[in-house]
Amino acid sequence: MENWDEVRTAYQVARMGTVSGAAEVLGVHHATVIRHIDAIEARLGVKLFQRHARGYTPTEAGLDLLRVAQATDDQFSQLVGRLKGVGDDVSGELVVTSLESLAPLVVPVLGAFQRKHSGLIVRYLTGARLFRLEYGEAHVAIRAGRVPDQPDNVVQPFIDQEVGLYASRGYVARRGMLKGPEDLKNHQFVGSDDENSRAPFYIWLRQNVPPEAISFRCSDTYSAGHAVRAGAGIGFVSRWAAARDPDLVEMLPAEEEWAGKLWLVTHVDLHRTPKVQSFLKFLKQAAREWEV
């Protein structure tokens, strides 16, 4: 793209959602913003935004541009910091993604990190889909399961995701405790709606519990944990969360094969930025207190 000013303008419009907001951030007149948007759309031959009364909403093409522009902006900020000899600047946006079930652990860390860096805007994205780091969708991804193998990513082992098999006190009052592995068929379980889930604890559940006994199924572990707490059946809950919930009763001793790995993933282009390195260090330190 020969005109970075237009790309930067489109990036800020996508971030702010309005022409006036982008104009204020860029320090230009709103007419300049409109002219840049019209020019880049004409040059690319696609609509980057849907115009409406409340502002501008990025189209799919606009979101693609936003991701690339964000990654480029981060890399440029890193270069400016090196040229100016500023090695510890932590500002702008920090985008972190993880499974929703990790939110009770990750959100307090993000809040504490933001308090240390007043110029930081935190975006915390949760969900099962893999956010594309190469397009700038996130700076840091906390991922579970097998070692992530996407190209151009830096992968570091983080912590073990320890889980246990629990039920609510209400369930135990109705159905009793598990008397051992031979009693599994006589109880109800909360499991995954994905019959091909690779989570090690759900693999164990499929191998040891009759399908008809898995009577409550969820699309994510966060919802499954709530189902267990609501008395829908016996299910897997992180040991960290269970230790802080007096209504949960452990039904069987935890087995090593239930545990999974968590990984810290960053893109190679942004891995060494002061913002990413500072957050990774802060997160690892905080994770030491996550033990049960």
Side-chain angles (χ1 to χ4, degrees), residues 159-179:
I159 61 173
D160 288 337
Q161 189 177 25
E162 296 186 1
V163 301
L165 199 58
Y166 297 90
S168 70
R169 294 190 183 277
Y171 176 91
V172 173
R174 293 194 313 274
R175 302 293 299 268
M177 290 288 293
L178 268 174
K179 298 179 177 64

Side-chain angles (χ1 to χ4, degrees), residues 82-105:
R82 289 202 306 266
L83 294 176
K84 289 183 176 180
V86 179
D88 58 353
D89 179 54
V90 178
S91 60
E93 283 192 345
L94 173 67
V95 187
V96 178
T97 176
S98 79
L99 293 172
E100 190 175 6
S101 58
L102 294 175
L105 294 172

Side-chain angles (χ1 to χ4, degrees), residues 132-148:
R132 300 177 66 181
L133 305 188
E134 68 272 22
Y135 285 135
E137 288 189 330
H139 294 92
V140 177
I142 305 172
R143 292 181 178 164
R146 290 175 289 186
V147 183

